[in-house]
Amino acid sequence: MTRPDALESLVSLAKRRGFIFQSSEIYGGTGSVWDYGPLGVELKNNVKARWWNAMVRERDDVEGLDAAILMHPKVWEASGHVSGFSDPLVDCKACKARFRADKLSDAACPRKPSKKPGEHIDCQLTEPRQFNLMFKTFMGPVEESASVVYLRPETAQGIFVNFLNVQQATRQKVPFGIAQIGKAFRNEITPGNFIFRTREFEQMEMQFFVEPGTDMEHFERWKEARLNWHLGLGLDRDRLAFHQHTDKELAHYARAAFDINFDFGGTLGFQEIEGVHNRSDFDLRQHQEYSSKKLEYVDQADNKRYLPYVIETSVGADRVTLAILVNALREEAVEGEQEGRTVMGFHPALAPIKAGVFPLSKKDGQPEMAERLAAALRKRFPVFYDEAGAIGRRYRRQDEAGTPFGITIDSGSTANDSVTIRFRDDMGQIRVATSRVAEVLGRYLEADHAQADSRLVE
Ligand code: GAP
């Protein structure tokens, strides 16, 4: 089954509601770079916090790190990026478009009628040449080859070069991991599909250092753990699939690799959102050789020393955010109403705004009571206060922002000190004492319910 293409409607909703804007839009935009607006930054921060909690805070065998983007240029020689991090590029001399030679069958010639590159009579494709994807810049005031540095194309190398620093500072014993979240840059030849493939993006990577020989057992464990993490975000099970790399697909450093793919629908279909790789001791061995510094782990208990193997989990924060947006978007009819509604059905824990607070009327002290409640709730989570327009429209605005709870202050509220909580997904309502609102919502946000559903409240 091919799911419908949600990207087009998502791009316009994302702009209209302040999730994601094109970078430098007033100047015509920058190619494949995007800015996160007020709702988008909350959503992506929630994704990153959830990853950090699962990978670092809730474990005693993974340590956190925040390495710099600019690194010694030799790092990228050792890692193989200077010589090998390239894609085959072909130019069309007729229309000046550029394509990845290995993705021609997925590409479209910019000329009309729409055809694949090379299929128009006057297409003139060059022979493929290798194009390095790393962005280069200069360290210091002199622009000469000795001062070339690169914007990192992956965060992983910052972890490898700090392996012994972290191990010695924390006295961790193998097996243990190091995790970090940070920006990465790739001068992609054919970026696109909104925030799916961009030139500046964020990675959440973890390198787990293990004794050689135990690597495949750790690899299997991480594969399952990472799939479960995606399920915990509320991504539908049937939209997620493993893809095992064939020998041809395996990177030069990898002994085994699985992608976790998500079905984005439309022509994009199933695409990688995360890679789980067995990188052997390739990286530590390379850095040991290029730096001439011993990077072996000393196992004092067993009186052994060795270069650990590395199981890597590498996920794009932007790609997962796109998967969450695609998964959450739904248009539905509403019984008894002419207009349907657009709902972003985010997992409550990921939702950018947790609750909308609405006085039903501007009289009888309702706005004052609502503002007091909103201020109290804001101490715990993001809340949106809205007294403008019909209550139905206010609910719809929050449905579209993915706000899981709507709290309405009505005439009964001032008399009984109680409010209604409306649930975004089933639109059911319950009445609770004002003093219990924070506790009820808090229980929801801490629980692992993927839906905001009134049946789950006692
Ligand atoms: N350290 C291993 C590594 O970087 P990768 O498969 O090249 O592996 C890992 O990248 C993840 O980073 C991908 O699964 C994807 O989520 C994200 N990613 C890679 N390139 C990207 C791009 N151009 N735009 C957005 N996300 C990207």
Side-chain angles (χ1 to χ4, degrees):
M1 175 191 79
T2 309
R3 289 191 162 88
D5 194 342
L7 280 197
E8 213 171 295
S9 36
L10 203 56
V11 175
S12 72
L13 182 141
K15 178 175 176 193
R16 187 160 40 82
R17 293 311 315 258
F19 282 97
I20 297 164
F21 308 120
Q22 198 182 8
S23 162
S24 318
E25 193 187 0
I26 59 168
Y27 289 99
T30 315
S32 289
V33 189
W34 299 87
D35 298 338
Y36 287 78
L39 294 185
V41 66
E42 291 288 341
L43 176 64
K44 192 171 156 197
N45 279 346
N46 291 341
V47 172
K48 291 191 284 184
R50 221 171 147 84
W51 185 87
W52 193 258
N53 281 342
M55 300 298 277
V56 181
R57 297 249 172 97
E58 291 166 16
R59 304 185 63 105
D60 61 4
D61 59 354
V62 178
E63 303 288 344
L65 181 74
D66 183 10
I69 289 173
L70 299 176
M71 301 181 74
H72 195 289
K74 266 195 148 179
V75 166
W76 306 111
E77 285 174 35
S79 68
H81 284 83
V82 170
S83 58
F85 192 56
S86 48
D87 280 338
L89 168 76
V90 293
D91 290 288
C92 177
K93 286 187 177 161
C95 69
K96 311 288 181 228
R98 293 186 143 176
F99 309 98
R100 259 177 74 167
D102 55 339
K103 300 271 180 199
L104 282 181
S105 56
D106 302 334
C109 172
R111 298 218 164 148
K112 296 284 169 251
S114 125
K115 288 187 179 187
K116 304 227 168 297
E119 287 182 355
H120 278 288
I121 195 139
D122 52 350
C123 287
Q124 285 183 57
L125 299 185
T126 60
E127 284 300 308
R129 63 191 162 89
Q130 289 302 319
F131 172 78
N132 195 294
L133 302 185
M134 281 197 295
F135 281 96
K136 264 188 203 167
T137 185
F138 300 94
M139 182 83 92
V142 187
E143 294 196 5
E144 59 181 21
S145 58
S147 56
V148 163
V149 289
Y150 301 95
L151 300 188
R152 66 180 176 202
E154 62 173 12
T155 55
Q157 300 303 324
I159 289 180
F160 293 126
V161 299
N162 277 298
F163 160 64
L164 277 189
N165 282 342
V166 174
Q167 190 271 321
Q168 286 162 1
T170 59
R171 296 165 54 232
Q172 281 280 4
K173 294 188 173 48
V174 166
F176 79 98
I178 306 176
Q180 76 168 325
I181 299 178
K183 290 263 184 175
F185 303 83
R186 296 183 188 177
N187 201 0
E188 300 278 4
I189 297 171
T190 47
N193 290 308
F194 197 23
I195 55 170
F196 178 78
R197 179 168 285 108
T198 54
R199 292 190 168 114
E200 173 178 341
F201 55 97
E202 250 179 313
Q203 289 188 314
M204 307 189 283
E205 294 200 296
M206 192 277 313
Q207 269 64 40
F208 203 69
F209 299 88
V210 306
E211 186 173 350
T214 64
D215 44 312
M216 284 314 287
E217 145 205 338
H218 287 286
F219 179 74
E220 289 301 326
R221 231 177 275 150
W222 277 110
K223 228 180 90 191
E224 288 313 309
R226 294 306 306 149
L227 178 70
N228 287 335
W229 183 79
H230 290 283
L231 290 170
L233 299 177
L235 296 182
D236 295 341
R237 181 65 190 89
D238 62 347
R239 292 188 95 130
L240 288 165
F242 280 121
H243 164 73
Q244 181 169 15
H245 284 211
T246 59
D247 287 347
K248 256 177 89 182
E249 288 172 287
L250 275 182
H252 58 284
Y253 54 75
R255 289 191 74 205
F258 274 86
D259 294 336
I260 298 175
N261 286 358
F262 174 81
D263 185 0
F264 288 91
T267 48
L268 201 53
F270 275 94
Q271 296 287 341
E272 172 189 344
I273 52 175
E274 169 152 6
V276 183
H277 312 126
N278 179 344
R279 295 181 73 124
S280 71
D281 61 2
F282 174 82
D283 305 89
L284 290 182
R285 191 169 290 287
Q286 288 291 103
H287 288 304
Q288 179 167 270
E289 189 188 323
Y290 278 70
S291 67
S292 306
K293 296 271 166 19
K294 275 239 169 295
L295 294 179
E296 283 174 337
Y297 169 74
V298 181
D299 178 344
Q300 280 163 341
D302 287 344
N303 205 16
K304 291 191 279 194
R305 51 172 64 224
Y306 55 83
L307 279 179
Y309 271 29
V310 169
I311 307 304
E312 166 183 77
T313 71
S314 175
V315 55
D318 311 86
R319 245 182 230 186
V320 174
T321 301
L322 181 61
I324 290 165
L325 286 164
V326 167
N327 199 85
L329 176 66
R330 52 178 209 264
E331 310 274 349
E332 57 189 34
V334 180
E335 220 183 285
E337 288 187 24
Q338 262 194 339
E339 274 180 40
R341 63 174 192 152
T342 303
V343 187
M344 295 304 288
F346 299 127
H347 187 308
L350 296 178
I353 301 170
K354 305 303 182 195
V357 178
F358 316 114
L360 196 58
S361 128
K362 288 189 183 162
K363 294 188 223 144
D364 305 331
Q366 289 181 29
E368 291 78 7
M369 184 177 172
E371 288 204 65
R372 269 199 309 279
L373 180 60
L377 293 177
R378 243 179 233 126
K379 296 207 166 89
R380 305 204 25 197
F381 32 68
V383 165
F384 189 79
Y385 174 83
D386 189 1
E387 57 176 40
I391 190 71
R393 291 190 78 79
R394 286 184 263 168
Y395 287 151
R396 295 290 171 272
R397 283 199 286 267
Q398 290 310 307
D399 289 344
E400 222 181 28
T403 306
F405 311 106
I407 300 162
T408 308
I409 287 77
D410 54 23
S411 54
S413 301
T414 41
N416 309 330
D417 208 7
S418 65
V419 299
T420 59
I421 300 180
R422 170 197 182 262
F423 294 82
R424 172 198 69 203
D425 290 328
D426 63 5
M427 294 186 281
Q429 300 200 6
I430 57 169
R431 194 155 195 107
V432 298
T434 316
S435 59
R436 284 197 61 216
V437 174
E439 170 224 321
V440 170
L441 299 198
R443 244 193 299 148
Y444 251 103
L445 297 170
E446 276 156 31
D448 246 356
H449 302 308
Q451 300 281 300
D453 183 335
S454 57
R455 285 167 308 174
L456 297 170
V457 180
E458 292 151 27

